[in-house]
């Protein structure tokens, strides 16, 4: 069974930076989409960024210019680099993978992803 393990979450000050990691299975399939999502208490799960086997990335408007997604196939690790963090970025962050297709227009749609990690908490204080 595919397992994803996130790490790197922490408590930081407004304007701080973090790098989240997600270690997964080998990302050498012909087509796949891997992404980061977040969920704050009382809110719906939100797509943050995703990347597929072609290296094409999609980033949510709410974090564009501040967050960057990257994938290291040699280490089977997905990263999310978070800069200029704001209190509204506080949430549990999850990684997810879809091995059935590339990202495309549904890259940030959480319902397409069937495999999820347990999450890592990011807290930003003002």
């Amino acid at each position: 069974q595919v397992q994803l393990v996130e790490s790197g979450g922490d408590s930081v000050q407004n304007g701080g930076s973090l790098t989240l990691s997600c270690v997964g299975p080998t990302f050498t399939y012909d087509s796949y989409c891997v992404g980061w999502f977040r969920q704050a208490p009382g809110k719906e799960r939100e797509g943050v960024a995703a990347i597929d086997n072609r290296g094409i990335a999609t980033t949510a408007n709410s974090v564009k210019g501040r967050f960057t997604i990257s994938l290291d196939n040699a280490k089977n690790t997905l990263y999310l680099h978070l800069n200029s963090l704001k209190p509204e970025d506080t949430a549990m962050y999850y990684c997810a993978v879809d091995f059935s297709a590339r990202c495309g227009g549904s890259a940030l749609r959480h319902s397409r992803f069937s495999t999820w990690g347990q999450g890592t908490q990011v807290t930003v204080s003002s």
Side-chain angles (χ1 to χ4, degrees):
Q1 186 171 348
V2 174
Q3 285 189 321
L4 301 173
V5 180
E6 303 98 332
S7 63
D10 205 346
S11 295
V12 297
Q13 295 287 326
N14 187 22
S17 298
L18 285 172
T19 295
L20 306 183
S21 301
C22 171
V23 179
T26 177
F27 293 112
T28 56
Y29 290 76
D30 289 339
S31 296
Y32 60 80
C33 181
V34 291
W36 287 97
F37 296 78
R38 65 185 182 184
Q39 189 166 19
K43 294 188 177 181
E44 293 188 359
R45 190 163 295 192
E46 172 192 18
V48 176
I51 190 168
D52 65 19
N53 56 294
R54 300 166 297 176
I56 296 176
T58 302
T59 306
N61 288 334
S62 59
V63 303
K64 196 165 291 184
R66 300 189 297 121
F67 293 7
T68 304
I69 190 171
S70 64
L71 179 61
D72 187 335
N73 282 310
K75 296 182 178 180
N76 298 333
T77 302
L78 178 71
Y79 298 99
L80 184 67
H81 308 278
L82 299 80
N83 297 307
S84 302
L85 281 161
K86 305 174 182 179
E88 51 263 43
D89 295 318
T90 295
M92 185 71 79
Y93 284 71
Y94 301 89
C95 63
V97 62
D98 174 5
F99 284 121
S100 68
R102 296 168 180 169
C103 291
S106 62
L108 302 182
R109 188 181 303 161
H110 65 81
S111 59
R112 68 169 285 174
F113 294 87
S114 57
T115 301
W116 293 80
Q118 294 301 306
T120 186
Q121 178 68 37
V122 172
T123 302
V124 185
S125 57
S126 57

